[in-house]
Amino acid sequence: MPNAPKIELVQGDITQQDTEALVNAANSHLAGGGGVDGAIHRAGGPAIMGELKEKYEGCPTGSAVITGGGNLKAKYVIHAVGPRYMGSPRDAALLKSAHLKSLELCTAHNVKSVSFCAISTGIYGYPLEEASPIAIETAADYLKAHPEIQLIRFVLFDSKTYQAYKTALKELSASGSLENR
Ligand code: ADP
């Protein structure tokens, strides 16, 4: 039997997920905002913003910080700052790094299951067909080196986003890169 699949795609609302951590798409001021960030703060309650203000003075693009999950089912929220899409080669490195730092925080906090939203693909304008393979490949590479992580779930809000991630996962799988995990 091959290993159980560790990358999962669902269409839905990240605030409802029961994984140990959720990865939010934050801004570098960690100031809250619209989109998924607003939804997570609304559902999680004011404790999350309180902890952000107490512990961090912002977060650079391409990095991430962690707080408790407040009223969410998840124990932790990881606030990742993806890039605004500029159409420059730096975009991809920053998007990859935002995912990688989030996964490193999972390892550091002994988190074995995590849900990601589609970082940067909303207000920040990253095209889905470019962002989705970066997200999926970074997750797959991390899993290869970190068998302690049992599940990486991508929670895609609408069907267009879900389809783009599904295509990226299928292409990675066809290339053989999902094997030997
Ligand atoms: P960014 O500024 O990084 O682009 P956004 O919040 O604008 O962040 O969008 C990131 C992604 O999160 C988009 O695909 C958006 O549709 C999606 N999104 C918005 N609300 C939710 C939610 N409650 N759960 C999951 N994804 C969401």
Side-chain angles (χ1 to χ4, degrees):
M1 263 302 268
N3 290 346
K6 288 182 171 183
I7 296 182
E8 191 174 286
L9 308 182
V10 300
Q11 189 180 331
D13 180 351
I14 197 168
T15 65
Q16 301 306 311
Q17 304 304 311
D18 58 3
T19 50
E20 289 167 68
L22 309 181
V23 181
N24 181 17
N27 56 59
S28 58
H29 301 293
L30 302 175
V36 69
D37 198 14
I40 286 176
H41 282 287
R42 274 194 302 279
I48 298 177
M49 185 54 78
E51 191 178 341
L52 281 174
K53 288 208 165 119
E54 189 186 307
K55 291 194 176 156
Y56 307 105
E57 288 179 17
C59 175
T61 303
S63 194
V65 300
I66 190 165
T67 65
N71 300 329
L72 295 163
K73 287 182 215 163
K75 186 173 176 195
Y76 297 106
V77 177
I78 294 168
H79 306 263
V81 184
R84 264 177 214 281
Y85 187 73
M86 304 288 184
S88 95
R90 220 170 121 69
D91 298 338
L94 290 169
L95 187 62
K96 182 181 165 111
S97 169
H99 286 81
L100 190 57
K101 299 276 181 183
S102 299
L103 290 164
E104 287 170 357
L105 282 171
C106 290
T107 296
H109 289 79
N110 201 25
V111 166
K112 295 183 167 38
S113 61
V114 57
S115 294
F116 276 82
C117 66
I119 299 171
S120 287
T121 66
I123 298 158
Y124 280 5
Y126 216 117
L128 280 172
E129 63 280 7
E130 289 182 42
S132 51
I134 294 169
I136 298 275
E137 282 168 31
T138 306
D141 285 348
Y142 196 82
L143 286 175
K144 276 185 206 161
H146 295 273
E148 73 277 7
I149 307 264
Q150 288 164 5
L151 172 65
I152 300 177
R153 177 183 291 161
F154 288 92
V155 183
L156 299 324
F157 206 44
D158 55 27
S159 75
K160 195 174 66 156
T161 309
Y162 176 77
Q163 288 304 329
Y165 276 67
K166 196 169 156 191
T167 301
L169 184 58
K170 226 189 255 173
E171 283 173 2
L172 190 67
S173 175
S175 76
S177 296
L178 280 180
E179 283 155 22
N180 308 319
R181 290 213 308 270

